[in-house]
Structures are given as structure tokens and as C-alpha cells.
Amino acid sequence: MSDTRLTSDRWPIAAAMLPFPASQDAPADTWVDHLAQVAYEGFTEVDLTDSWIQPGDLSPARIEELREALATVGLDPIALSAIRRSVIDPETGDENLAYSHRTIDAAAALGTKIVSVGLHRPLLPAQREVLWFWTEEGPADSTDPETWALAVSRLRELGEHAASVGVELSLEMYEDTLLGTAESAVRLVKDIDHPSVGLNPDLGNLIRLHRPIEDFQAAVAACLPVSNYWHVKSYFRDEDRSTGSYVALPAPMEMGMVSYRTAIRTAVDAGFTGPFCVEHYGGDGLSVSARNARYIRRMLAVATGEAREQVLRNVAAAR
């Protein structure tokens, strides 16, 4: 095996900062406390999810404080996810485009390799009032040619900016957006047609919906060849289409309704080499994320053939 091969133990797996409270104006020591908890769970990479901190809105001095906090706990800020800042939002698209540009510059200053953006918008009041926001309908993108062209133009603009500062752009899948199905998401990436722009096939956003969903493994096979980053999570799911009853609850990846054992093998076979980011809603999200990271490393060992080689070596050595 080549020393340069991306093996299961070297593969970057980041923790999302979703479990932590908004901390934009918190002192740097609070940042260190939060990040130290991530490192204590065994992570060496982190996704600076902007529900926690918005690096694009930090002053240069505070960017440096964040750099120092990350170095203090030994975490690599491999990705920065800017969420609910759609550049085609009918009301705030221009503002979100400017924010995305600032975020890319902040990512470069922090040494971040990937900025993930999406086309999903802020939660509606009904979504904020229920236990699980995905059980209520959210905003939906128009599918007219003008909206599609605007998305292609603005996301390509962000991709060009990202490339100029040594960062990749990844587009997060989310329901009822132009990135809401495998077919539409892949087509959007291909229409943008920029080497620094890839897909973030966050299919967990889709399998939790209380409605019929597309086949998960088919979507993985379609999306992973054009993907450069991957938010992963899973859900328990039950459905009774005869009554229109659908239920989805967060679950550890190894226990949920889809097989990531199969999906990760598909990804590796398709040539995917991007980082993973583990997410989980509810309860102790960080502990479940750490469990998911360990599971991913096992599945990567299976997908890369390392598990098979180890078993055969162990048996041969015992003879």
C-alpha cells in the first residue's frame, strides 16, 4: 500500500459545531472551551458551522483569536459551513452573496480548505415552533429558468473567488431548493462547470422528510462522482403510504434506516476523497457525532480493502 494513499485512519472527518450555542461575541476562552470538547471526543478536524460563529463577520483581530483558539486545542478547521444564506433568496440574496464572499475570505485567512454553502433559507415561524423543524414545510425555490441562471451565475462567482484564495466551494443539498434532488443538484454543479465547485450530498436532509423520498443509494451513486465534501447523519424512519403517515427521528449512522456501509463503498469506488462532516440533531449531538466518526472509519477500512487485508494478516500470523 502506498504511503500517500488516503487510508481510513488518515481520512479527514470533522465535527460540526451545531451542538454549541451561538458564540459570535463570546470571549476567545469560550471558543477554546467549546473546541476543546470537540478535540476531547477524538476529533482532529472541525467544521466551523456559522450557527456557532460567523467568521465572515469577524474583525481581523477576532479572526486571529479564532486561529489561536484552534491551534491551542489542536484542531484543523478543514471546512466552514455557511447555512441558510441562499444567494438566490428573493429578499436577501444580494446580502447573502456579499456575506458568502466575506466568508470565503475568512476561510482562507483561517487556513480552511472548503466552504460549504446552500440554497436553503431561514426557518419559517411554523418550523421554529415544532420539535423537529423538518416536520413542517419550509421555503421552496422557484424552478423558472431565470432563477436557475441566477443560481449558476452567483455560485460560479463564489467558486471563482474561492479558487483565487485556495479554497474549494461545496454546495449542500437541501429539500425544495435547486439542490433538493440528486438530478437537480448534479445538473447544477455541471452547469456551474468550475473545477473548484463540487457537491455536498447531505442526503440526511432529505431522508428525514415526512413525505415520500427518493432512493438513498441511487442518489449516492449519482451524487458522489461530483462531490468534494460530505455532511453525513442518519434517521430512524417509518412510513405508511396508505395513510400518509411518515415519521423520522435522528439516529446514529450505524442504526438509521439507510446503509452507510453501502454508501461509503459507493463513494470510495466513485473516487470520492473529500472530508466528511458528522452532524446530529437533538440530545448530546457531539457524543453521537463522535460515535459516527468511529463508525465511518470502520466503513472506510471496509471500502478501501484495509479491513480484509487486516483479517487475512491476522489469520496468517496466527497459523
Side-chain angles (χ1 to χ4, degrees):
M1 182 180 296
S2 169
D3 290 338
T4 61
R5 178 181 172 182
L6 192 57
T7 55
S8 60
D9 60 327
R10 295 175 180 172
W11 211 295
I13 302 175
M17 292 302 288
L18 285 170
F20 294 93
S23 303
Q24 183 78 359
D25 298 322
D29 188 61
T30 297
W31 296 351
V32 170
D33 178 70
H34 294 172
L35 294 168
Q37 293 180 56
V38 173
Y40 182 72
E41 292 294 339
F43 290 98
T44 54
E45 289 87 19
V46 65
D47 181 314
L48 299 174
T49 321
D50 75 347
S51 58
W52 177 61
I53 289 174
Q54 301 88 55
D57 288 339
L58 292 176
S59 68
R62 295 232 76 192
I63 286 284
E64 185 57 31
E65 285 185 301
L66 183 54
R67 281 177 57 91
E68 291 175 0
L70 289 158
T72 296
V73 301
L75 284 175
D76 174 9
I78 198 163
L80 197 170
S81 289
I83 57 176
R84 304 193 183 281
R85 296 284 194 143
S86 171
V87 296
I88 59 169
D89 187 307
E91 297 181 2
T92 59
D94 293 347
E95 175 187 331
N96 291 342
L97 179 63
Y99 172 80
S100 299
H101 278 295
R102 295 196 304 272
T103 297
I104 289 169
D105 284 332
L110 290 165
T112 297
K113 298 177 179 63
I114 293 175
V115 170
S116 176
V117 300
L119 297 176
H120 39 311
R121 302 182 222 165
L123 297 174
L124 296 177
Q127 293 178 291
R128 293 194 295 268
E129 292 169 1
V130 295
L131 178 60
W132 303 116
F133 61 84
W134 55 85
T135 62
E136 292 286 339
E137 295 289 325
D141 284 343
S142 170
T143 58
D144 62 78
E146 293 76 18
T147 302
W148 185 272
L150 182 64
V152 170
S153 173
R154 289 190 164 183
L155 293 172
R156 184 185 292 131
E157 176 185 325
L158 292 179
E160 290 171 351
H161 179 187
S164 74
V165 294
V167 174
E168 290 185 64
L169 190 72
S170 194
L171 310 181
E172 180 182 353
M173 294 182 68
Y174 197 91
E175 77 268 12
D176 298 328
T177 72
L178 299 184
L179 293 160
T181 66
E183 184 277 331
S184 182
V186 170
R187 183 162 66 93
L188 188 60
V189 171
K190 291 184 176 179
D191 281 4
I192 293 167
D193 191 24
H194 194 284
S196 289
V197 179
L199 191 61
N200 172 359
D202 192 344
L203 296 165
N205 289 339
L206 307 183
I207 64 172
R208 67 191 179 195
L209 298 177
H210 284 201
R211 63 174 94 155
I213 57 175
E214 66 180 307
D215 182 83
F216 177 81
Q217 299 300 345
V220 169
C223 293
L224 266 295
V226 298
S227 297
N228 58 359
Y229 187 43
W230 196 359
H231 286 176
V232 289
K233 52 185 174 281
S234 195
Y235 294 82
F236 298 114
R237 180 179 175 87
D238 187 36
E239 57 182 62
D240 182 350
R241 297 194 183 187
S242 66
T243 62
S245 173
Y246 300 89
V247 177
L249 300 170
M253 287 173 64
E254 62 195 292
M255 298 179 181
M257 57 84 64
V258 296
S259 171
Y260 275 98
R261 180 183 294 266
T262 299
I264 289 172
R265 182 183 289 276
T266 298
V268 170
D269 289 346
F272 177 72
T273 58
F276 291 85
C277 174
V278 285
E279 300 180 319
H280 185 80
Y281 287 98
D284 184 353
L286 180 59
S287 289
V288 178
S289 293
R291 175 180 186 150
N292 286 345
R294 293 189 293 271
Y295 167 75
I296 290 170
R297 293 209 186 278
R298 297 203 322 271
M299 296 306 99
L300 284 169
V302 172
T304 60
E306 298 165 48
R308 180 179 186 275
E309 292 172 8
Q310 179 179 322
V311 168
L312 296 180
R313 283 197 307 270
N314 291 346
V315 171
R319 286 175 176 164

